Amino acid sequence: MQAHIEAEVAAGLTNLDRYRGNHLAAITPFEQEVFHIEMHDIPRLGAAYWAWEVACGIIHDKLAGDPDLANALAAELEIVQQGRTLSAKDRSHTDFAEAWTAFAKLFGIPYRLAFAFFWKNYFMDVRLGHILHEGDYHGPDFMAVAHTEDEPPF
């Protein structure tokens, strides 16, 4: 896993422009300012966070091309077991964030940076509607009351 992360980081540092944007392994200029994350940190953060989400079962993909690696990590690392349990219940739980920061530390990511990247991605998921909280308002569902010949207003 370490070799895979290091290869991703080396490749990423040669093309930082691919890390600009609004997705898990990228950052917007506003997020850089708010979370105080530098562009050169994003390749390592993105690679480790993607591995974390795969290991926790949030993203269903192969780790480093190995379909069994996520389960092997869960079998060996208590923090991944904890992450799997908490991700199904509440990804905003402080224990889930702490498990991620412990995982990130394995790949040379300092606590503050891991914690900032966690919340950057959490709030991105909330903005995109991937994480919903009771009482959240996302506006009226126009299509729920529209007729088939109606066009959406936006």
Side-chain angles (χ1 to χ4, degrees):
M1 189 76 240
Q2 183 73 39
H4 175 73
I5 297 287
E6 294 305 323
E8 289 290 317
V9 171
L13 288 173
T14 64
N15 184 10
L16 288 176
D17 283 339
R18 75 181 199 181
Y19 295 96
R20 296 184 196 283
N22 192 27
H23 57 85
L24 177 113
I27 195 163
T28 68
F30 298 113
E31 290 170 333
Q32 277 186 270
E33 184 177 342
V34 168
F35 294 103
H36 193 67
I37 299 173
E38 301 296 330
M39 280 305 294
H40 64 268
D41 293 319
I42 297 298
R44 181 172 304 281
L45 286 163
Y49 198 76
W50 173 82
W52 169 250
E53 289 208 336
V54 174
C56 289
I58 298 166
I59 297 173
H60 300 287
D61 201 354
K62 297 175 194 169
L63 274 178
D66 183 345
D68 301 319
L69 185 54
N71 288 333
L73 285 174
E76 285 189 35
L77 297 174
E78 186 177 327
I79 54 175
V80 174
Q81 294 165 16
Q82 183 179 15
R84 282 185 173 197
T85 301
L86 290 168
S87 71
K89 295 177 186 173
D90 183 6
R91 281 189 257 161
S92 67
H93 195 285
T94 54
D95 289 345
F96 184 74
E98 291 298 322
W100 148 247
T101 60
F103 183 82
K105 186 177 180 180
L106 298 174
F107 303 102
I109 300 170
Y111 179 86
R112 192 216 61 83
L113 202 52
F115 200 68
F117 195 73
F118 172 83
W119 288 111
K120 174 221 103 59
N121 279 313
Y122 180 82
F123 287 119
M124 180 195 67
D125 280 341
V126 170
R127 282 193 317 271
L128 295 174
H130 299 157
I131 296 174
L132 300 173
H133 295 279
E134 187 176 329
D136 283 354
Y137 177 74
H138 296 287
D141 184 357
F142 174 79
M143 297 312 287
V145 295
H147 299 282
T148 55
E149 65 275 359
D150 288 345
E151 289 291 322
F154 310 108

